[in-house]
Amino acid sequence: MSALVPFADITTHLFVEFQHTAFRLETRRGYATDRAGARFQTFMRDVDPAPEPDNTWHVNIRERTAQGGRFSRVRITDEPPTAAGGS
């Protein structure tokens, strides 16, 4: 079994040091989340969590797109979707 790679480790090079397009294929049944955290609990109550414009990921997206970069992804999901992040 392989270990999960922290998202911060991925974004430090794959989604920062690209020239034209960054593409992500997501095929996981569930994602590691902070299920006890306030943002996730807000989402589970069917309320949009407050935006986080200073989040490192969002800052990177703004910087790369301002330089002409493109981000895209395909997410393959189970049918029916798993509840609360799945297993």
Side-chain angles (χ1 to χ4, degrees):
M1 178 182 225
S2 62
L4 291 175
V5 176
F7 191 66
D9 291 354
I10 295 170
T11 60
T12 57
H13 71 286
L14 293 178
F15 292 101
V16 175
E17 298 174 4
F18 68 94
Q19 294 181 11
H20 305 286
T21 303
F23 175 79
R24 211 162 80 182
L25 172 62
E26 298 179 0
T27 61
R28 298 189 53 87
R29 289 182 173 203
Y31 294 87
T33 64
D34 181 7
R35 289 178 174 86
R39 286 184 59 76
F40 187 79
Q41 292 304 313
T42 298
F43 171 76
M44 291 305 292
R45 289 191 307 272
D46 203 25
V47 176
D48 287 337
E52 295 182 319
D54 296 329
N55 174 287
T56 305
W57 174 253
H58 298 147
V59 170
N60 179 58
I61 295 289
R62 282 193 305 272
E63 290 175 355
R64 298 301 150 246
T65 56
Q67 296 171 3
R70 278 187 49 199
F71 288 82
S72 61
R73 75 173 170 196
V74 170
R75 180 180 290 167
I76 299 172
T77 60
D78 289 345
E79 185 60 44
T82 54
S87 57

